Amino acid sequence: MARDFNGTDQYLSNASAVVTAAPFTMACFFNRDDDVGSESLISIGDTATSDNYWDLRTSPAGGQQVRLSVNDGGTAVSAVTTTGYSVGTWHHACCIEVSNTERYVFIDGGSKDDCLLDRSPAGADTTSIGVRLTSTTAFFFNGRIAFPAIWNAALTDAEVLALASGISPLRVRPQNLMSFWPLFGDASPESDFSGGQFPMSLTGTPVVADPVGGIGPM
């Protein structure tokens, strides 16, 4: 299943950071309804400041790419996929934070790009889907997000490709899976199927949607 966000005031959140430092991986399927501005998929941030975060998002700038943006109180740095997404089409996004100086981003299991600049966000205290939450609320997502998940490990390229091909997060490095939200839409908050530690509260009640096109974990 999936949640359909309106791009204005709807998102999911948990008032804890699933992870607070490298290594980790974040991934989900997404389908954008528009191509106006950057829109966040999964974000971990510090609600006391505006510039400490990890943000996996979609960005029209430069060619409709997936971007991992990281900031630790100064200037954000980014890894940006080498190819882009299409509006109205399902895609898979993934980012990997190996260390403070090594991170990668993927779309549909490939188009890998790196960022090797030093950034080490601190004070992370929230996890969000469909928006970036810090002391400000930014980059509302307009469209559908399905099967978001977070691991406390840096997945391999082969594991990223497996996720993009539809293998369930529950079957990819399960010993490191920190959170997985199938977004079935039958509970509020949304259940965390990796162990229940991080249920997602609904803001604005994004509606339940079927992830069309045959995408989704097997």
Side-chain angles (χ1 to χ4, degrees), residues 4-27:
D4 194 348
F5 302 85
N6 64 5
T8 303
D9 59 6
Q10 296 177 342
Y11 59 89
L12 308 179
S13 64
N14 183 287
S16 298
V18 174
V19 292
T20 58
F24 67 82
T25 300
M26 303 193 294

Side-chain angles (χ1 to χ4, degrees), residues 7-189:
T8 303
D9 59 6
Q10 296 177 342
Y11 59 89
L12 308 179
S13 64
N14 183 287
S16 298
V18 174
V19 292
T20 58
F24 67 82
T25 300
M26 303 193 294
C28 68
F29 286 93
F30 71 93
N31 189 330
R32 274 191 67 156
D33 286 345
D34 66 14
D35 202 29
V36 181
S38 295
E39 297 178 355
S40 183
L41 298 167
I42 310 173
S43 183
I44 296 172
D46 175 12
T47 55
T49 70
S50 63
D51 51 9
N52 268 280
Y53 56 79
W54 292 273
D55 187 21
L56 176 63
R57 67 178 190 253
T58 58
S59 176
Q64 299 176 327
Q65 295 147 315
V66 172
R67 176 185 302 264
L68 170 62
S69 182
V70 183
N71 201 339
D72 62 1
T75 302
V77 298
S78 296
V80 184
T81 56
T82 57
T83 62
Y85 58 86
S86 298
V87 171
T89 301
W90 281 103
H91 295 278
H92 187 265
C94 182
C95 66
I96 298 173
E97 182 90 349
V98 179
S99 70
N100 294 340
T101 58
E102 184 182 359
R103 57 190 60 88
Y104 303 94
V105 68
F106 303 76
I107 185 170
D108 298 331
S111 301
K112 179 181 179 181
D113 185 43
D114 64 63
C115 175
L116 307 179
L117 299 175
D118 190 1
R119 293 293 187 276
S120 52
D125 61 7
T126 190
T127 305
S128 54
I129 297 171
V131 76
R132 189 179 79 199
L133 292 180
T134 55
S135 59
T136 60
T137 305
F139 302 136
F140 286 96
F141 189 80
N142 185 16
R144 287 165 283 175
I145 296 175
F147 311 114
I150 300 175
W151 294 256
N152 65 353
L155 299 186
T156 65
D157 289 12
E159 288 169 327
V160 174
L161 184 59
L163 290 169
S165 70
I167 299 299
S168 171
L170 294 170
R171 297 172 59 190
V172 176
R173 205 84 68 95
Q175 69 274 21
N176 294 111
L177 184 62
M178 294 294 292
S179 54
F180 170 46
W181 305 277
L183 304 187
F184 289 135
D186 57 0
S188 180

